[in-house]
Amino acid sequence: MATVFARPKLQFFGVSTTYVVRKITLSDLGDALRLGWEDFKAVPTHAIVLCVIYPVLGLVLFRLVLGHSVLPLLFPLAAGFTLVGPFAALGLYELSRRRERGEEAAAWDAMRVLRAPSFGAIFELGVLLLVLFGVWIVAADAIYISIFGYAPAASIPDFAQRILTTSQGWSLIIIGCGVGLLFAVVALCVSVVSFPLMLDRHATAIDAIRTSMQAVMINPIEMGAWGLIVAALLAVGSLPFFVGLAVVLPVLGHATWHLYRKVIRPDPNPAEEQPGPPIGHRYAADFPVSLFPWSRER
């Protein structure tokens, strides 16, 4: 008679976790980006519809910053996308998940995350990231005031001159980037695979955070490289005037899903789900008709 032993839970800081984290390589990062790009090309119009709000929001923030003479907060606001991005990309994870299973993937399918069994945990972690974003903005403002005082910049050229041609400006750059790096590291450790894990395996927020931190500990170089890739692509996408984020954000969102798949061992006993209709090719010429499926010929 065979004896079956239950697999022991992994221990992380003395607390058990139930998800097995795998060691990855730098080539896996490139493969995740490639797969993310493939997902974006498969549903480009839907991804842009989901993410166009971010460049629009960036332009609104840019205008508000100029209008209220708080120009020094423009860069911290733009950099803050890296803190809340994992939460904002929820719909993209769902699209990648559906394509992975051979199901139809359209913009409205992204809204299915609102009915996910773990949406409460997802929302809790999202609030945590939003709080982290708010603390970062307050910290960035405090750093600027401690160096330059409360006197506002008269214009963009005046602000640029202060930052780039004075010792105080270089102190602001060094200190600000250093503090920003700490916030980015915290966000990376907490959320690098958390949201896909909660969406896919219905994990609790605590389990997701523990697993995400463990993923960073097992793959420190790879996760550090991933953070640099995300920061670099977001910086490129923010120019000019945040327009590039309409492409960068969906690609990164899809790529994060595929990174999760490489880092976390698949569920050995997944719940059975009814497969949806097989997906076909989608082209930009289908837009906006593709947003209204009832208008298609049957």
Side-chain angles (χ1 to χ4, degrees):
M1 180 176 177
T3 304
V4 179
F5 295 94
R7 185 183 65 185
K9 295 183 178 182
L10 301 176
Q11 295 293 317
F12 179 62
F13 288 141
V15 181
S16 62
T17 58
T18 58
Y19 307 102
V20 179
V21 177
R22 296 187 289 197
K23 177 67 178 175
I24 62 173
T25 65
L26 292 176
S27 63
D28 289 321
L29 305 183
D31 193 45
L33 287 171
R34 179 185 61 80
L35 293 172
W37 175 248
E38 292 296 326
D39 283 351
F40 173 72
K41 289 193 299 181
V43 284
T45 52
H46 304 322
I48 289 177
V49 167
L50 288 170
C51 293
V52 73
I53 186 174
Y54 294 103
V56 171
L57 179 60
L59 292 173
V60 171
L61 291 174
F62 185 80
R63 181 64 186 89
L64 290 176
V65 163
L66 293 180
H68 290 81
S69 298
V70 284
L71 187 60
L73 291 182
L74 180 59
F75 176 76
L77 287 169
F81 279 123
T82 60
L83 303 181
V84 298
F87 178 58
L90 274 174
L92 299 169
Y93 306 149
E94 176 64 16
L95 293 181
S96 289
R97 187 173 77 101
R98 293 179 67 82
R99 290 197 71 247
E100 186 181 80
R101 289 158 45 186
E103 299 181 5
E104 185 74 15
W108 53 89
D109 291 318
M111 297 299 104
R112 291 176 181 268
V113 298
L114 300 177
R115 294 181 296 184
S118 56
F119 183 74
I122 291 172
F123 182 76
E124 290 172 0
L125 186 53
V127 170
L128 176 62
L129 293 185
L130 289 174
V131 170
L132 187 66
F133 173 76
V135 175
W136 155 242
I137 296 301
V138 171
D141 187 47
I143 292 171
Y144 180 84
I145 291 174
S146 67
I147 295 176
F148 286 103
Y150 291 93
S155 62
I156 293 180
D158 176 56
F159 176 71
Q161 183 178 11
R162 286 188 184 187
I163 300 300
L164 299 177
T165 63
T166 66
S167 59
Q168 294 93 335
W170 284 105
S171 296
L172 177 66
I173 292 174
I174 295 172
I175 297 174
C177 289
V179 174
L181 177 62
L182 293 178
F183 277 90
V185 168
V186 171
L188 179 71
C189 292
V190 166
S191 64
V192 65
V193 296
S194 293
F195 290 103
L197 179 62
M198 288 187 286
L199 180 64
D200 184 47
R201 306 276 283 273
H202 312 316
T204 65
I206 295 298
D207 282 342
I209 291 174
R210 290 172 181 158
T211 305
S212 184
M213 295 180 69
Q214 187 182 45
V216 174
M217 293 181 65
I218 293 177
N219 303 282
I221 296 176
E222 291 77 12
M223 290 304 176
W226 179 251
L228 292 176
I229 290 172
V230 170
L233 289 178
L234 288 176
V236 172
S238 298
L239 302 173
F241 303 110
F242 304 96
V243 173
L245 292 179
V247 174
V248 170
L249 281 172
V251 171
L252 285 176
H254 291 307
T256 299
W257 172 265
H258 294 291
L259 179 66
Y260 153 74
R261 281 298 193 209
K262 293 179 180 296
V263 172
I264 304 300
R265 181 177 297 175
D267 188 355
N269 299 302
E272 293 186 4
E273 298 186 47
Q274 293 295 329
I279 61 176
H281 293 288
R282 291 183 175 275
Y283 304 96
D286 295 333
F287 182 76
V289 176
S290 59
L291 294 179
F292 307 96
W294 54 83
S295 65
R296 300 173 185 168
E297 294 183 1
R298 299 186 180 183

